[in-house]
Amino acid sequence: MMLIKLGGSVITDKSQYRRFDKEAVSRLCREIARSGRQTVVVHGAGSFGHILAKRHSIQNGYSSKEQIPAVAMIQHDVRELSSMVVAELLEAGIPAVSVPPGSCFVMDDGKLVIGDEEPIRSLLKIGIMPVLFGDVVMDRKKGFGICSGDQAMEALAKMLKPEKAVFVSDIDGLFTADPKKDPDAKLIPEVTEEAMERVSIEQSVDDVTGGVAGKMKEMLDMSKNGMDCVLINGSVPGNLQSLLEGKEIRCTVARAQR
Ligand code: IPE
């Protein structure tokens, strides 16, 4: 089984509030279906989550009651986004259902806790893909917080032991510097703990869950459990399908010492 995260930067326009990229999502869902691989899809929030989350400091937890309407609004927005992603999976012939982390689970000081695995396992058993996503989730210590799609990936990887975890973004992988600013930036095909220390941490986009270098650190941590974590560019048509079919593509693989 392959675990796939469709990043918010590929499924939405991150600079415009609630702008869904139907064309990209439809293509990616068809690529998944055509690969014939068993997959579980997680997705990010993009502009359906980050813009309001940042404005109201949702990632830092509860600080004032003024945040509450924003908490509910973000949950509403990411559920709408998830419905649109699931609609494209269904259209591509993949039975799928949204499993909103904020409605099904809690967090404990920023860490997602999946208390009961039965709903997810039962869906998979019957042949329906459970789709988790970046959401606002109630937190035992902080009141609430942001559960990123990456955290959902980590929890699902522990539970389902996939062959690979694939992070679909709008960049080819991790670079030695920010490729949007530095023409000498080079793609790093394989990341180890040691290589990570040489990477510029400037490669961050304006979001509340921490940029490319932060993502790569999480991927390295995840890969300690024995599976490769791959960052690929989903804006390039055919890339996801090729990777799922086991072909070589331009990407960054995170592989921790095991
Ligand atoms: C963020 O999830 C969730 C919210 C802001 C509510 P992600 O961090 O996984 O989203 P993307 O992929 O960066 O957009």
Side-chain angles (χ1 to χ4, degrees), residues 5 7-8 14 44-46 49-50 53 74 134-135 146-150 207-209:
K5 181 192 171 194
K14 273 198 142 174
H50 285 286
I74 296 166
D135 197 4
I146 299 282
C147 167
S148 67
D150 291 17
D207 70 22
V208 291
T209 50

Side-chain angles (χ1 to χ4, degrees), residues 68-206:
I68 303 302
V71 166
M73 183 56 85
I74 296 166
Q75 289 193 323
H76 164 265
D77 286 347
V78 291
R79 276 154 189 69
E80 281 207 346
L81 172 64
S82 198
S83 289
M84 292 191 273
V85 172
V86 165
E88 297 306 326
L89 285 165
L90 294 172
E91 184 71 31
I94 301 171
V97 66
S98 269
V99 177
S103 312
C104 305
F105 314 118
V106 291
M107 292 204 292
D108 194 17
D109 206 11
K111 196 170 165 33
L112 178 64
V113 181
I114 298 188
D116 185 3
E117 297 183 356
E118 194 181 341
I120 291 176
R121 291 200 187 279
S122 306
L123 282 166
L124 284 167
K125 208 162 164 189
I126 209 167
I128 297 177
M129 180 198 288
V131 178
L132 276 65
F133 53 87
D135 197 4
V136 182
V137 176
M138 295 306 114
D139 190 302
R140 289 169 181 159
K141 301 245 159 59
K142 300 179 181 174
F144 51 74
I146 299 282
C147 167
S148 67
D150 291 17
Q151 272 179 279
M153 287 286 279
E154 206 184 326
L156 287 176
K158 277 212 185 95
M159 188 192 304
L160 306 172
K161 310 260 178 302
E163 198 177 304
K164 277 194 176 89
V166 185
F167 293 82
V168 183
S169 67
D170 62 346
I171 47 167
D172 289 347
L174 184 70
F175 287 79
T176 49
D178 188 342
K180 282 169 190 152
K181 291 185 198 139
D182 184 347
D184 294 329
K186 288 193 180 56
L187 182 81
I188 307 171
E190 187 178 317
V191 161
T192 54
E193 283 100 333
E194 192 236 330
M196 199 57 221
E197 279 160 25
R198 295 195 302 268
V199 168
S200 144
I201 47 165
E202 299 254 299
Q203 300 173 51
S204 56
V205 279
D206 194 23

Side-chain angles (χ1 to χ4, degrees), residues 15-32:
S15 64
Q16 299 201 48
Y17 179 54
R18 288 176 50 99
R19 180 68 62 88
F20 180 60
D21 193 338
K22 182 174 159 59
E23 215 174 288
V25 177
S26 157
R27 173 178 55 75
L28 290 165
C29 293
R30 278 182 279 122
E31 290 190 31
I32 292 169

